[in-house]
Amino acid sequence: MAWFSKSKKRTENRSADIWIKCPRCGNHIFREDWHNNLNVCPKCNYHSKITSYERIGLILDSGTFEELNISIYPADPLKFTDAKESYAVKVENTRKKTGLNEAIVTGTGKINGLKVVVAVMDFRFMGGSLGSGTGEKILLASNYSYEKKIPLIIFSASGGARMHEGILSLMQMAKTCAGISRLDERKVPFISVLTDPTTGGVSASFATVGDINIAEPGAVIGFAGRRVIENTIKQKLPDDFQTSEYLLEHGFVDLIANRSSMKNTLYQVLSFYNR
Amino acid sequence: MPKKETSVSEMEKMLEKLRNMTEAQDEEFSDQISKLEKMIDSRKEIEFSNLTPWETVQIARHHQRPVFADYITLVFTDFIELHGDRRFADDRGLIGGFARIDGAPVMLIGHNKGKNVSENVERNFGMAKPEGYRKALRLMKLAEKYNVPIISFIDTPGAFPGLEAEERGQAEAIARNLVEMAQIKVPIICVVSGEGGSGGALGIGVGDSILMLSHSIYSVISPEGCASIIWRDGAMAEKAAEALKITAGPLKELGIVDEIIEEPTGGAHNDYAAISRSVQKILIKYLKKYKGYSESKIIKQRFEKYSKIGVFNK
Ligand SMILES: [Zn+2]
């Protein structure tokens, strides 16, 4: 999947769409430049969200990706209905809109010739929330790593557990971690890449327990929501609270890597795996 | 308080009045009293068998509901509390230590809710910080080393959402427990005794059997939190409590809870001795169940149990 695959269509857009206003620095950036810079602001290095397939295009050697368990999609076990619509309808609409079946894409591929299993969350699918199908795909990916002794890399982008599946979502935290826990036994590497945002139940499960945790710059990473904490402590939190840089300072990520160098960073780290 | 309890409590007030009137031990009065007592009992039973999820939430959070400290003294003997995570502090919101049940050694861990303001301030309302989860893990590893089964009591609104908790890695502390608990080589039995609040509950909630008191709750998010996100209105909590399926019955149907521990009529707070007897009985039963399991069998079964959780299409 080439990073540029969609750029042709973009040039045909209306002139109003030519510019992108960076949500962080407020600068207006030529859309083409923004896109060519991997959806990273050329002025302030703000890393905006990208889709799971775009990320796979950036990380894996061209033509090496083979997707696994693509057919898994959400059921509606609680018959959950919010103010607007049922979860089942929401899922159908989201599947149509995104072309995704779940909030994660999993498969195998190569990084500079090195075989890896990847699981890449996609924020477009219900905020990258962790549901039963998401958890199942992560477990199956880690089982594949376990059985074939191939390093596992998970890219997180998630607001947390998916409320619409109630307790079953909460239990996916335990389920995915049970899968991860077996990798140590066989000395299979597990690299966690935390991207914006990685919060709630995803931060409190597989995302923060990599052998090595790598974050993209400026990502929001944390357990409790900012407003919840501010309400609890009745004071305003520092601006850099729950950012990649804050986590690095407090010892919870190993390193921060720019999107443009992520593939090489992953390769460098895995090149030290000496088994 | 749930509104359904009011009518019962009104009857109880009447009963109290009647009792006060009968200091002369009037035969006729005492007959009426016993009739009223019977009425109250049967009424309670009917009302408490038809609680709405939101009413159950209120009972699960009842200020007189027995807390972990009560179960420690009523269900177990020889409790010896072990303090600290060896890294930062001793969390009072989550405590643990060795104890015996029916003579058999166990490792006990649990959220440490209080029943009044001063207890709750000291115990942070049973909301654990990273050092609490890390202490729990230290004690579970100790239990593994000493070959002692683990029993955890879950009763928390959630992990503490504070600045210093984030700073010290609340997410990582919970996540680490989920990974490690999957590999602990002694049986783990979890009892949801009050509020099972999200990741803060799960952080000591990965086990071979999950037991749940009949008027307790276990949820991915508090009904209030869900209401404010999904309906953008905290007042919709009652509706959220229903939609989230957080009570014991539905959770057993979903296969998350293995067995429900029936509470005395009116809720556990009405009869500490009765609920303690029930908790003790069921724990002894489950400890017996896992006796003689090999380490590899425990790990394998636990992995299979969690592998199967989830409902999806393919
Ligand atoms: Zn910018």
Side-chain angles (χ1 to χ4, degrees), chain A residues 73 82 175 181 223-224 242, chain B residues 166 168 175 183 230 309 311 313:
Chain A
Y73 69 97
D82 65 20
K175 174 172 169 172
S181 77
F223 179 64
Q242 294 185 326
Chain B
E166 294 287 324
R168 294 197 290 275
Q183 297 290 334
I230 297 247
I309 297 180
V311 179
N313 292 310

Side-chain angles (χ1 to χ4, degrees), chain A residues 42-223:
Chain A
K43 298 269 190 231
C44 74
N45 201 33
Y46 171 74
H47 280 54
S48 71
K49 295 178 184 73
I50 57 174
T51 70
S52 41
Y53 289 110
E54 284 171 336
R55 201 176 286 283
I56 286 164
L58 287 176
I59 297 300
L60 296 182
D61 301 344
S62 175
T64 62
F65 181 59
E66 282 177 47
E67 188 159 355
L68 293 170
N69 304 305
I70 189 168
S71 63
I72 291 174
Y73 69 97
D76 183 9
L78 305 189
K79 303 272 169 286
F80 193 97
T81 300
D82 65 20
K84 219 170 84 197
E85 61 200 355
S86 73
Y87 174 46
V89 167
K90 192 186 278 295
V91 164
E92 274 326 295
N93 292 339
T94 307
R95 289 176 71 196
K96 265 189 220 135
K97 210 170 87 191
T98 61
L100 297 166
N101 274 338
E102 250 297 352
I104 197 159
V105 175
T106 58
T108 59
K110 286 181 177 168
I111 296 179
N112 298 344
L114 209 71
K115 185 123 197 219
V116 291
V117 176
V118 290
V120 186
M121 301 192 86
D122 198 310
F123 196 77
R124 293 173 303 157
F125 198 98
M126 297 191 72
S129 54
L130 176 63
S132 294
T134 334
E136 177 75 6
K137 287 179 83 168
I138 292 172
L139 179 77
L140 292 174
S142 70
N143 285 353
Y144 192 95
S145 281
Y146 175 81
E147 275 146 25
K148 313 250 177 188
K149 296 194 176 181
I150 299 169
L152 173 67
I153 306 171
I154 303 181
F155 291 81
S156 297
S158 172
R162 193 178 297 162
M163 280 177 290
H164 309 69
E165 293 185 23
I167 198 84
L168 295 171
S169 289
L170 184 73
M171 291 299 154
Q172 300 311 307
M173 294 166 63
K175 174 172 169 172
T176 53
C177 285
I180 298 297
S181 77
R182 298 203 305 168
L183 299 180
D184 274 351
E185 169 199 326
R186 290 210 177 163
K187 312 272 188 270
V188 179
F190 164 44
I191 314 293
S192 173
V193 182
L194 300 96
T195 75
D196 187 52
T198 299
T199 58
V202 168
S203 75
S205 57
F206 54 87
T208 49
V209 289
D211 303 335
I212 293 164
N213 297 329
I214 305 175
E216 276 197 338
V220 170
I221 305 165
F223 179 64

Side-chain angles (χ1 to χ4, degrees), chain B:
Chain B
M1 285 305 297
K3 52 183 178 291
K4 281 191 176 171
E5 218 180 354
T6 356
S7 61
V8 169
S9 67
E10 267 164 17
M11 283 163 82
E12 279 172 336
K13 271 180 206 151
M14 274 169 58
L15 180 66
E16 190 64 31
K17 265 186 203 160
L18 263 176
R19 278 193 180 127
N20 289 339
M21 283 159 67
T22 54
E23 271 163 29
Q25 292 172 344
D26 191 310
E27 284 260 333
E28 203 182 320
F29 264 135
S30 71
D31 195 42
Q32 280 192 19
I33 286 173
S34 79
K35 263 188 199 159
L36 192 53
E37 279 172 345
K38 268 182 201 142
M39 263 175 71
I40 288 172
D41 278 354
S42 67
R43 185 69 165 274
K44 267 189 182 171
E45 223 150 286
I46 292 163
E47 290 189 350
F48 276 83
S49 61
N50 289 308
L51 291 174
T52 67
W54 184 240
E55 287 164 343
T56 305
V57 170
Q58 307 311 310
I59 294 175
R61 293 173 179 169
H62 196 282
H63 66 285
Q64 284 303 324
R65 190 169 177 82
V67 294
F68 184 38
D70 296 311
Y71 292 113
I72 290 175
T73 50
L74 293 169
V75 175
F76 302 89
T77 59
D78 306 326
F79 178 62
I80 174 159
E81 187 176 353
L82 303 170
H83 295 266
D85 69 342
R86 299 293 189 272
R87 277 158 178 74
F88 180 77
D90 180 45
D91 192 347
R92 302 310 301 147
L94 199 165
I95 63 168
F98 287 121
R100 285 194 176 81
I101 177 166
D102 198 28
V106 291
M107 176 61 83
L108 270 184
I109 52 173
H111 300 104
N112 195 26
K113 256 194 199 176
K115 280 189 291 203
N116 55 51
V117 175
S118 68
E119 276 179 4
N120 269 322
V121 167
E122 191 233 335
R123 303 172 185 183
N124 203 25
F125 296 85
M127 293 186 287
K129 295 172 184 169
E131 52 270 29
Y133 294 104
R134 290 176 185 137
K135 171 169 69 178
L137 180 56
R138 180 174 80 83
L139 298 185
M140 289 188 278
K141 290 278 193 187
L142 181 61
E144 185 180 55
K145 181 176 176 183
Y146 284 20
N147 190 31
V148 166
I150 296 160
I151 297 171
S152 82
F153 277 77
I154 292 165
D155 186 12
T156 181
F160 183 58
L163 173 71
E164 75 273 35
E166 294 287 324
E167 200 170 35
R168 294 197 290 275
Q170 187 71 284
E172 191 271 347
I174 292 171
R176 188 67 57 194
N177 281 15
L178 304 187
V179 171
E180 296 287 338
M181 288 180 90
Q183 297 290 334
I184 293 276
K185 295 181 188 68
V186 291
I188 304 175
I189 300 164
C190 307
V191 182
V192 183
S193 58
E195 273 185 281
S198 191
L202 191 64
I204 57 166
V206 179
D208 302 297
S209 291
I210 315 296
L211 315 174
M212 185 163 178
L213 268 63
S214 54
H215 299 326
S216 55
I217 54 167
Y218 197 1
S219 183
V220 65
I221 184 170
S222 72
E224 291 88 343
C226 177
S228 69
I229 294 170
I230 297 247
W231 284 274
R232 309 216 169 267
D233 179 4
M236 297 295 279
E238 187 166 352
K239 196 161 184 174
E242 214 174 293
L244 284 167
K245 305 271 191 289
I246 60 178
T247 54
L251 291 175
K252 185 155 188 285
E253 277 169 37
L254 287 168
I256 303 303
V257 168
D258 294 286
E259 195 166 338
I260 298 169
I261 307 171
E262 285 304 327
E263 292 181 33
T265 307
H269 59 281
N270 278 349
D271 195 338
Y272 277 36
I275 189 62
S276 298
R277 274 195 305 276
S278 303
V279 168
Q280 187 180 53
K281 204 171 139 203
I282 200 165
L283 283 175
I284 291 168
K285 181 175 101 179
Y286 275 84
L287 286 169
K288 229 173 238 161
K289 177 183 168 181
Y290 293 112
K291 212 165 186 175
Y293 271 45
S294 69
E295 291 184 348
S296 60
K297 187 175 177 184
I298 287 169
I299 300 296
K300 188 163 172 277
Q301 278 203 0
R302 196 179 297 144
F303 179 73
E304 280 164 4
K305 174 191 170 84
Y306 282 91
S307 289
K308 281 190 209 122
I309 297 180
V311 179
F312 50 86
N313 292 310
K314 56 162 122 178

